[in-house]
Amino acid sequence: MNRNRFKVGAISAIIGVTSTLLVGLTTASPASAATSECNTARITTAAPNTPSGRYLYLPAYNSSLYLCWMAYGTRGDEVKALQGAINHCYNSIPNLVVDGIYGDATRAAVRAVQTQHRIHVDGEYGPDTYYAMMFPAYRIVDNGFSGTCV
Protein backbone atom coordinates (compact mmCIF):
# COMPACT_ATOMS: atom_id res chain seq x y z
CA MET A 1 0.00 0.00 0.00
CA ASN A 2 2.82 2.43 0.83
CA ARG A 3 4.46 1.67 -2.52
CA ASN A 4 1.34 2.75 -4.40
CA ARG A 5 1.15 6.00 -2.44
CA PHE A 6 4.80 6.64 -3.24
CA LYS A 7 4.22 5.98 -6.94
CA VAL A 8 1.18 8.26 -7.02
CA GLY A 9 3.12 10.96 -5.17
CA ALA A 10 6.12 10.65 -7.51
CA ILE A 11 3.93 10.76 -10.61
CA SER A 12 2.08 13.80 -9.26
CA ALA A 13 5.38 15.56 -8.59
CA ILE A 14 6.64 14.82 -12.10
CA ILE A 15 3.41 16.09 -13.66
CA GLY A 16 3.57 19.23 -11.51
CA VAL A 17 7.16 20.03 -12.50
CA THR A 18 6.48 19.30 -16.18
CA SER A 19 3.39 21.50 -16.28
CA THR A 20 5.28 24.32 -14.56
CA LEU A 21 8.05 24.11 -17.16
CA LEU A 22 5.55 24.05 -20.01
CA VAL A 23 3.72 27.09 -18.66
CA GLY A 24 7.06 28.92 -18.45
CA LEU A 25 7.78 28.08 -22.06
CA THR A 26 4.41 29.20 -23.34
CA THR A 27 4.41 32.51 -21.46
CA ALA A 28 7.61 33.93 -22.94
CA SER A 29 7.32 37.61 -23.75
CA PRO A 30 6.39 38.49 -27.34
CA ALA A 31 9.79 40.11 -27.93
CA SER A 32 11.76 37.09 -26.84
CA ALA A 33 9.57 34.31 -28.22
CA ALA A 34 11.61 32.41 -30.86
CA THR A 35 14.01 35.34 -31.30
CA SER A 36 17.72 35.36 -30.49
CA GLU A 37 19.03 37.81 -27.93
CA CYS A 38 20.90 40.76 -29.44
CA ASN A 39 24.61 40.41 -28.72
CA THR A 40 26.26 43.04 -30.91
CA ALA A 41 25.59 45.99 -33.19
CA ARG A 42 26.30 46.08 -36.92
CA ILE A 43 26.46 48.60 -39.74
CA THR A 44 24.20 48.07 -42.73
CA THR A 45 23.56 49.94 -45.95
CA ALA A 46 21.05 47.34 -47.11
CA ALA A 47 18.16 48.22 -44.78
CA PRO A 48 15.01 49.45 -46.54
CA ASN A 49 14.90 53.22 -47.18
CA THR A 50 18.57 53.77 -46.30
CA PRO A 51 19.63 56.88 -48.25
CA SER A 52 22.54 56.65 -50.66
CA GLY A 53 25.87 57.32 -48.97
CA ARG A 54 24.41 56.52 -45.55
CA TYR A 55 24.39 53.56 -43.19
CA LEU A 56 22.41 52.42 -40.17
CA TYR A 57 23.93 51.13 -36.94
CA LEU A 58 21.53 48.48 -35.63
CA PRO A 59 21.32 46.05 -32.72
CA ALA A 60 22.00 42.56 -34.05
CA TYR A 61 22.48 38.92 -33.21
CA ASN A 62 25.91 37.75 -34.39
CA SER A 63 26.90 39.17 -37.75
CA SER A 64 23.72 39.87 -39.67
CA LEU A 65 20.45 39.04 -37.93
CA TYR A 66 18.76 42.31 -37.00
CA LEU A 67 15.60 40.67 -35.68
CA CYS A 68 16.73 40.12 -32.14
CA TRP A 69 15.51 41.07 -28.68
CA MET A 70 16.92 42.66 -25.58
CA ALA A 71 15.50 43.74 -22.27
CA TYR A 72 16.34 45.11 -18.85
CA GLY A 73 19.81 43.96 -17.84
CA THR A 74 21.27 43.59 -21.36
CA ARG A 75 24.68 45.26 -21.74
CA GLY A 76 26.83 46.01 -24.78
CA ASP A 77 27.12 47.73 -28.13
CA GLU A 78 23.64 46.57 -29.10
CA VAL A 79 22.21 48.68 -26.27
CA LYS A 80 24.38 51.66 -27.30
CA ALA A 81 22.98 51.41 -30.84
CA LEU A 82 19.43 51.43 -29.45
CA GLN A 83 20.14 54.32 -27.06
CA GLY A 84 21.73 56.37 -29.86
CA ALA A 85 18.76 55.72 -32.15
CA ILE A 86 16.31 56.91 -29.51
CA ASN A 87 18.40 60.00 -28.81
CA HIS A 88 18.67 60.98 -32.50
CA CYS A 89 15.21 60.04 -33.73
CA TYR A 90 12.84 60.65 -30.82
CA ASN A 91 13.06 64.25 -29.67
CA SER A 92 10.02 63.90 -27.39
CA ILE A 93 11.84 61.30 -25.26
CA PRO A 94 14.50 62.61 -22.84
CA ASN A 95 18.03 61.84 -24.02
CA LEU A 96 19.54 58.66 -22.68
CA VAL A 97 23.09 58.29 -21.46
CA VAL A 98 24.67 56.09 -24.13
CA ASP A 99 26.32 53.73 -21.67
CA GLY A 100 25.37 50.35 -23.13
CA ILE A 101 23.26 49.39 -20.10
CA TYR A 102 19.58 48.52 -20.62
CA GLY A 103 18.38 49.93 -17.33
CA ASP A 104 15.32 51.77 -16.10
CA ALA A 105 15.77 54.81 -18.36
CA THR A 106 16.26 52.71 -21.51
CA ARG A 107 13.27 50.53 -20.66
CA ALA A 108 11.12 53.65 -20.13
CA ALA A 109 12.35 55.11 -23.44
CA VAL A 110 11.53 51.88 -25.30
CA ARG A 111 8.06 51.94 -23.74
CA ALA A 112 7.63 55.51 -24.99
CA VAL A 113 8.71 54.47 -28.51
CA GLN A 114 6.28 51.53 -28.42
CA THR A 115 3.46 53.79 -27.22
CA GLN A 116 4.21 56.35 -29.94
CA HIS A 117 4.07 53.66 -32.63
CA ARG A 118 1.00 51.99 -31.08
CA ILE A 119 2.57 48.57 -30.71
CA HIS A 120 2.60 46.24 -27.69
CA VAL A 121 4.15 48.13 -24.77
CA ASP A 122 6.44 45.94 -22.69
CA GLY A 123 9.69 47.92 -22.57
CA GLU A 124 11.58 45.20 -24.43
CA TYR A 125 13.23 45.66 -27.81
CA GLY A 126 12.20 42.94 -30.24
CA PRO A 127 11.09 42.43 -33.85
CA ASP A 128 7.91 44.52 -33.49
CA THR A 129 9.88 47.42 -32.03
CA TYR A 130 12.59 47.04 -34.70
CA TYR A 131 10.03 47.24 -37.51
CA ALA A 132 8.20 50.19 -35.96
CA MET A 133 10.99 52.46 -34.76
CA MET A 134 13.20 54.85 -36.68
CA PHE A 135 16.98 54.61 -36.79
CA PRO A 136 19.46 57.38 -37.57
CA ALA A 137 21.24 57.38 -40.91
CA TYR A 138 24.95 58.11 -40.56
CA ARG A 139 27.15 59.55 -43.32
CA ILE A 140 29.63 57.05 -44.76
CA VAL A 141 32.23 59.77 -45.44
CA ASP A 142 32.63 60.94 -41.83
CA ASN A 143 30.40 58.69 -39.68
CA GLY A 144 28.38 61.73 -38.57
CA PHE A 145 24.63 61.74 -38.04
CA SER A 146 23.03 62.89 -41.29
CA GLY A 147 20.00 64.43 -39.61
CA THR A 148 17.76 61.78 -41.21
CA CYS A 149 15.98 58.91 -39.47
CA VAL A 150 14.53 55.99 -41.40
Side-chain angles (χ1 to χ4, degrees):
M1 179 109 168
N2 286 339
R3 283 183 165 167
N4 287 339
R5 284 187 187 168
F6 176 77
K7 288 179 184 177
V8 169
I11 291 171
S12 295
I14 291 170
I15 290 171
V17 169
T18 304
S19 63
T20 301
L21 290 173
L22 290 174
V23 168
L25 290 174
T26 59
T27 59
S29 67
S32 63
T35 306
S36 299
E37 185 173 1
C38 304
N39 61 4
T40 190
R42 295 287 181 213
I43 292 172
T44 182
T45 57
N49 303 319
T50 304
S52 179
R54 307 288 189 263
Y55 67 87
L56 305 182
Y57 186 57
L58 302 172
Y61 170 72
N62 288 341
S63 62
S64 62
L65 297 174
Y66 298 104
L67 295 179
C68 55
W69 71 272
M70 56 186 150
Y72 187 86
T74 303
R75 295 172 176 256
D77 289 338
E78 62 277 19
V79 180
K80 288 181 182 180
L82 175 64
Q83 292 167 331
I86 292 171
N87 286 350
H88 284 302
C89 300
Y90 294 90
N91 295 326
S92 63
I93 300 172
N95 273 348
L96 296 166
V97 174
V98 181
D99 58 4
I101 301 170
Y102 203 121
D104 291 327
T106 302
R107 180 170 48 192
V110 170
R111 283 184 179 139
V113 168
Q114 291 167 334
T115 299
Q116 183 175 331
H117 289 286
R118 296 185 174 127
I119 60 173
H120 177 73
V121 178
D122 60 6
E124 294 183 5
Y125 174 89
D128 290 344
T129 306
Y130 164 78
Y131 282 122
M133 76 179 285
M134 297 181 297
F135 289 91
Y138 297 97
R139 293 183 298 266
I140 291 174
V141 294
D142 64 0
N143 296 323
F145 174 51
S146 69
T148 302
C149 291
V150 296

